Coordinates of all heavy atoms in Angstrom, one line a residue:
A120 N 86.5 85.4 81.8 CA 87.3 85.1 83.1 C 87.8 86.4 83.7 O 87.8 86.6 84.9 CB 88.4 84.2 82.7
A121 N 88.2 87.4 82.9 CA 88.7 88.7 83.4 C 87.6 89.4 84.1 O 87.8 90.0 85.2 CB 89.3 89.5 82.3
L122 N 86.4 89.4 83.5 CA 85.3 90.1 84.1 C 84.9 89.4 85.5 O 84.5 90.1 86.4 CB 84.1 90.1 83.2 CG 84.3 91.0 82.0 CD1 83.1 90.9 81.0 CD2 84.4 92.5 82.4
R123 N 85.0 88.1 85.5 CA 84.7 87.4 86.8 C 85.7 87.8 87.9 O 85.4 88.0 89.0 CB 84.7 85.8 86.6 CG 83.5 85.3 85.8 CD 83.4 83.8 85.9 NE 84.6 83.1 85.4 CZ 84.8 82.8 84.1 NH1 83.8 83.1 83.2 NH2 85.9 82.2 83.7
E124 N 87.0 87.9 87.5 CA 88.0 88.3 88.4 C 87.8 89.7 88.9 O 88.0 90.0 90.1 CB 89.4 88.1 87.8 CG 90.5 88.4 88.7 CD 90.7 87.5 90.0 OE1 89.8 86.7 90.2 OE2 91.7 87.6 90.7
L125 N 87.4 90.6 88.0 CA 87.1 92.0 88.4 C 86.0 92.1 89.3 O 85.9 92.8 90.3 CB 86.9 92.9 87.1 CG 88.1 93.2 86.3 CD1 87.8 93.8 85.0 CD2 89.1 94.1 87.1
T126 N 85.0 91.2 89.1 CA 83.8 91.2 89.9 C 84.2 90.7 91.3 O 83.7 91.2 92.3 CB 82.7 90.3 89.3 OG1 82.4 90.8 88.0 CG2 81.5 90.2 90.2
R127 N 85.1 89.7 91.4 CA 85.5 89.2 92.7 C 86.1 90.2 93.6 O 85.8 90.3 94.8 CB 86.6 88.1 92.4 CG 87.1 87.4 93.7 CD 88.2 86.5 93.5 NE 89.5 87.1 93.1 CZ 90.3 87.8 93.9 NH1 90.0 87.8 95.2 NH2 91.4 88.3 93.5
V128 N 86.9 91.2 93.0 CA 87.5 92.2 93.8 C 86.7 93.4 94.0 O 87.1 94.4 94.7 CB 88.9 92.6 93.3 CG1 89.8 91.3 93.2 CG2 88.8 93.3 92.0
L129 N 85.5 93.4 93.5 CA 84.6 94.5 93.6 C 83.7 94.3 94.8 O 83.2 93.2 95.0 CB 83.7 94.6 92.3 CG 82.8 95.8 92.1 CD1 83.7 97.1 91.9 CD2 82.0 95.6 90.8
R130 N 83.5 95.3 95.6 CA 82.7 95.2 96.8 C 81.2 95.1 96.4 O 80.8 95.6 95.3 CB 82.9 96.4 97.8 CG 82.4 97.7 97.2 CD 82.3 98.7 98.3 NE 81.9 100.0 97.8 CZ 80.6 100.3 97.4 NH1 79.7 99.5 97.4 NH2 80.4 101.5 96.9
P131 N 80.3 94.5 97.2 CA 78.9 94.5 96.9 C 78.4 96.0 96.8 O 78.7 96.8 97.6 CB 78.3 93.8 98.1 CG 79.4 92.9 98.6 CD 80.6 93.7 98.4
G132 N 77.6 96.2 95.8 CA 77.2 97.6 95.5 C 78.1 98.4 94.6 O 77.8 99.5 94.2
G133 N 79.3 97.8 94.4 CA 80.3 98.5 93.6 C 80.0 98.5 92.1 O 79.1 97.7 91.7
T134 N 80.7 99.3 91.3 CA 80.5 99.4 89.9 C 81.7 98.9 89.1 O 82.8 99.2 89.4 CB 80.2 100.9 89.6 OG1 79.1 101.3 90.3 CG2 79.9 101.1 88.1
L135 N 81.4 98.2 88.0 CA 82.3 97.8 87.0 C 82.0 98.6 85.7 O 80.8 98.6 85.3 CB 82.3 96.3 86.7 CG 83.2 95.8 85.6 CD1 84.6 96.0 85.8 CD2 82.9 94.4 85.3
Q136 N 83.0 99.3 85.1 CA 82.7 100.0 83.9 C 83.9 99.9 83.0 O 85.0 99.7 83.4 CB 82.2 101.4 84.1 CG 83.3 102.3 84.7 CD 82.7 103.7 85.0 OE1 81.7 103.8 85.6 NE2 83.4 104.7 84.5
G137 N 83.6 100.0 81.7 CA 84.7 100.0 80.7 C 84.2 100.1 79.3 O 83.0 100.5 79.1
T138 N 85.1 99.9 78.4 CA 84.8 99.9 76.9 C 85.6 98.7 76.3 O 86.6 98.3 76.8 CB 85.3 101.2 76.3 OG1 86.7 101.4 76.5 CG2 84.5 102.4 76.8
T139 N 85.0 98.2 75.2 CA 85.7 97.2 74.5 C 85.2 97.1 73.0 O 84.1 97.5 72.8 CB 85.5 95.8 75.1 OG1 86.3 94.8 74.5 CG2 84.0 95.3 75.1
L140 N 86.1 96.7 72.2 CA 85.7 96.5 70.8 C 84.9 95.2 70.7 O 85.2 94.3 71.5 CB 86.9 96.4 69.9 CG 87.6 97.7 69.5 CD1 89.0 97.5 69.1 CD2 86.8 98.4 68.5
V141 N 83.8 95.2 69.9 CA 83.0 94.0 69.8 C 82.8 93.7 68.3 O 82.9 94.5 67.4 CB 81.6 94.2 70.4 CG1 81.7 94.4 71.9 CG2 80.8 95.4 69.8
R142 N 82.5 92.4 68.1 CA 82.2 91.9 66.8 C 80.8 92.2 66.4 O 80.0 92.4 67.3 CB 82.4 90.4 66.7 CG 83.9 90.0 66.8 CD 84.0 88.5 66.5 NE 85.4 88.1 66.3 CZ 86.0 88.3 65.1 NH1 85.4 88.9 64.1 NH2 87.3 88.0 65.0
G143 N 80.5 92.1 65.1 CA 79.1 92.2 64.7 C 78.5 93.6 64.4 O 77.3 93.8 64.3
T144 N 79.4 94.6 64.4 CA 78.9 95.9 64.1 C 79.0 96.3 62.6 O 78.2 97.1 62.1 CB 79.8 97.0 64.9 OG1 81.1 96.9 64.5 CG2 79.6 96.8 66.4
S145 N 79.9 95.7 61.9 CA 80.0 95.9 60.4 C 81.0 94.9 59.9 O 81.9 94.4 60.6 CB 80.4 97.3 60.0 OG 81.8 97.5 60.2
R146 N 80.9 94.6 58.6 CA 81.9 93.7 58.0 C 83.3 94.2 58.0 O 84.2 93.5 58.3 CB 81.5 93.4 56.5 CG 80.4 92.4 56.4 CD 80.3 92.0 54.9 NE 78.9 92.0 54.6 CZ 78.5 92.0 53.3 NH1 79.3 91.9 52.3 NH2 77.2 92.0 53.1
R147 N 83.4 95.5 57.8 CA 84.7 96.2 57.8 C 85.4 96.0 59.2 O 86.5 95.6 59.3 CB 84.6 97.6 57.4 CG 86.0 98.4 57.5 CD 85.9 99.8 57.1 NE 85.2 100.7 57.9 CZ 85.7 101.4 58.9 NH1 87.0 101.3 59.2 NH2 85.0 102.2 59.6
H148 N 84.6 96.3 60.2 CA 85.2 96.2 61.6 C 85.5 94.8 62.0 O 86.5 94.5 62.6 CB 84.2 96.8 62.6 CG 84.0 98.3 62.4 ND1 82.8 98.9 62.6 CD2 84.9 99.3 62.1 CE1 82.9 100.2 62.4 NE2 84.1 100.5 62.1
D149 N 84.6 93.9 61.6 CA 84.9 92.5 61.9 C 86.2 92.0 61.1 O 87.0 91.3 61.7 CB 83.8 91.6 61.4 CG 82.6 91.6 62.4 OD1 82.8 92.2 63.5 OD2 81.5 91.0 62.1
A150 N 86.4 92.5 59.9 CA 87.6 92.1 59.2 C 88.9 92.7 59.9 O 89.9 92.1 59.9 CB 87.5 92.6 57.7
Q151 N 88.8 93.9 60.4 CA 89.9 94.5 61.1 C 90.2 93.8 62.4 O 91.4 93.5 62.7 CB 89.6 96.0 61.5 CG 89.5 96.9 60.3 CD 89.0 98.3 60.6 OE1 88.5 99.0 59.7 NE2 89.2 98.8 61.8
I152 N 89.1 93.4 63.1 CA 89.3 92.6 64.3 C 90.0 91.3 64.0 O 91.0 90.9 64.7 CB 88.0 92.3 65.0 CG1 87.5 93.6 65.7 CG2 88.1 91.2 66.1 CD1 86.1 93.6 66.2
T153 N 89.6 90.6 62.9 CA 90.2 89.3 62.5 C 91.7 89.5 62.1 O 92.5 88.7 62.5 CB 89.4 88.7 61.3 OG1 88.1 88.4 61.7 CG2 90.1 87.4 60.8
A154 N 92.0 90.6 61.4 CA 93.4 90.9 61.0 C 94.2 91.1 62.3 O 95.4 90.6 62.4 CB 93.4 92.1 60.1
L155 N 93.7 91.8 63.3 CA 94.5 92.1 64.5 C 94.6 90.8 65.4 O 95.6 90.7 66.0 CB 93.8 93.2 65.3 CG 94.0 94.6 64.6 CD1 93.1 95.6 65.2 CD2 95.4 95.1 64.7
Q156 N 93.6 89.9 65.3 CA 93.8 88.7 65.9 C 94.9 87.9 65.3 O 95.7 87.3 66.0 CB 92.5 87.8 65.9 CG 91.4 88.3 66.8 CD 90.2 87.5 66.7 OE1 89.5 87.5 65.6 NE2 89.8 86.8 67.7
R157 N 95.0 87.9 64.0 CA 96.0 87.1 63.3 C 97.4 87.7 63.6 O 98.4 86.9 63.6 CB 95.8 87.1 61.8 CG 94.7 86.3 61.4 CD 94.5 86.2 59.9 NE 93.3 85.4 59.5 CZ 92.5 85.7 58.6 NH1 92.6 86.8 57.9 NH2 91.4 84.9 58.4
L158 N 97.5 89.0 63.8 CA 98.7 89.6 64.2 C 99.1 89.4 65.7 O 100.2 89.8 66.2 CB 98.7 91.1 63.9 CG 98.7 91.5 62.5 CD1 98.4 93.0 62.3 CD2 100.0 91.1 61.8
G159 N 98.1 88.8 66.4 CA 98.4 88.6 67.9 C 98.1 89.8 68.8 O 98.4 89.7 69.9
V160 N 97.5 90.8 68.2 CA 97.2 92.0 69.0 C 95.9 91.8 69.8 O 95.8 92.3 71.0 CB 97.1 93.3 68.1 CG1 96.7 94.5 68.9 CG2 98.4 93.5 67.3
F161 N 94.9 91.2 69.2 CA 93.7 91.0 69.9 C 93.5 89.5 70.3 O 94.1 88.6 69.7 CB 92.5 91.3 68.9 CG 92.2 92.8 68.8 CD1 93.0 93.7 69.3 CD2 91.1 93.2 68.1 CE1 92.8 95.1 69.2 CE2 90.8 94.5 67.9 CZ 91.6 95.5 68.5
G162 N 92.7 89.3 71.3 CA 92.5 87.9 71.8 C 91.2 87.4 71.2 O 91.1 87.1 70.0
S163 N 90.1 87.3 72.0 CA 88.8 86.8 71.6 C 87.7 87.7 71.9 O 86.9 87.4 72.8 CB 88.6 85.4 72.3 OG 89.6 84.5 71.9
P164 N 87.6 88.8 71.1 CA 86.5 89.7 71.4 C 85.2 89.1 71.0 O 85.1 88.3 70.0 CB 86.8 91.0 70.5 CG 87.7 90.5 69.5 CD 88.5 89.3 70.1
G165 N 84.1 89.3 71.7 CA 82.8 88.8 71.4 C 81.9 89.9 70.8 O 82.4 91.0 70.5
T166 N 80.7 89.6 70.7 CA 79.7 90.5 70.3 C 79.1 91.3 71.5 O 79.5 91.0 72.7 CB 78.5 89.8 69.6 OG1 77.8 89.0 70.6 CG2 78.9 89.0 68.5
A167 N 78.3 92.3 71.3 CA 77.7 93.0 72.4 C 76.8 92.1 73.2 O 76.7 92.2 74.5 CB 76.9 94.2 71.9
T168 N 76.2 91.1 72.6 CA 75.4 90.1 73.3 C 76.3 89.2 74.2 O 75.9 88.9 75.3 CB 74.6 89.2 72.3 OG1 73.7 90.1 71.5 CG2 73.7 88.2 73.0
D169 N 77.4 88.8 73.6 CA 78.4 88.1 74.5 C 78.8 88.9 75.7 O 78.9 88.3 76.8 CB 79.6 87.7 73.7 CG 79.4 86.8 72.5 OD1 78.5 85.9 72.6 OD2 80.1 86.9 71.5
L170 N 79.1 90.2 75.5 CA 79.5 91.0 76.6 C 78.4 91.1 77.7 O 78.7 90.9 78.9 CB 79.8 92.4 76.1 CG 80.2 93.5 77.1 CD1 81.4 93.1 77.9 CD2 80.3 94.8 76.4
H171 N 77.2 91.2 77.3 CA 76.1 91.2 78.3 C 76.0 89.9 79.0 O 75.9 89.8 80.2 CB 74.8 91.5 77.6 CG 73.6 91.8 78.5 ND1 72.9 90.8 79.2 CD2 73.2 93.0 78.9 CE1 72.0 91.4 79.9 NE2 72.1 92.7 79.8
T172 N 76.2 88.8 78.3 CA 76.2 87.5 78.9 C 77.3 87.3 79.9 O 77.1 86.8 81.0 CB 76.2 86.4 77.8 OG1 75.1 86.5 77.0 CG2 76.3 85.0 78.4
W173 N 78.5 87.8 79.5 CA 79.7 87.7 80.4 C 79.5 88.5 81.7 O 79.8 88.0 82.8 CB 80.9 88.2 79.7 CG 81.3 87.4 78.5 CD1 81.0 86.1 78.2 CD2 82.1 87.9 77.4 NE1 81.6 85.8 76.9 CE2 82.3 86.9 76.5 CE3 82.7 89.1 77.1 CZ2 83.0 87.0 75.3 CZ3 83.5 89.3 75.9 CH2 83.6 88.2 75.0
L174 N 78.9 89.6 81.6 CA 78.6 90.5 82.7 C 77.6 89.8 83.6 O 77.7 89.8 84.9 CB 78.2 91.9 82.3 CG 79.2 92.7 81.6 CD1 78.6 93.9 80.9 CD2 80.3 93.2 82.6
T175 N 76.5 89.3 83.0 CA 75.5 88.6 83.8 C 76.0 87.4 84.5 O 75.8 87.1 85.7 CB 74.3 88.2 82.9 OG1 73.8 89.4 82.3 CG2 73.2 87.6 83.7
S176 N 76.8 86.6 83.8 CA 77.4 85.4 84.3 C 78.4 85.6 85.5 O 78.6 84.8 86.3 CB 78.1 84.6 83.2 OG 77.2 84.2 82.3
A177 N 79.0 86.8 85.4 CA 79.9 87.2 86.5 C 79.2 87.6 87.8 O 79.8 87.8 88.8 CB 80.8 88.4 86.1

Side-chain angles (χ1 to χ4, degrees):
L122 290 171
R123 287 191 302 272
E124 182 66 352
L125 288 167
T126 302
R127 181 188 70 78
V128 301
L129 192 63
R130 69 165 175 76
T134 301
L135 172 64
Q136 67 186 48
T138 57
T139 187
L140 284 158
V141 295
R142 290 188 166 282
T144 60
S145 76
R146 278 192 229 169
R147 177 176 71 90
H148 294 141
D149 284 352
Q151 289 171 209
I152 288 170
T153 299
L155 289 166
Q156 284 180 296
R157 287 184 182 139
L158 291 171
V160 177
F161 282 7
S163 299
T166 64
T168 301
D169 294 329
L170 176 60
H171 192 279
T172 299
W173 298 336
L174 293 165
T175 302
S176 296

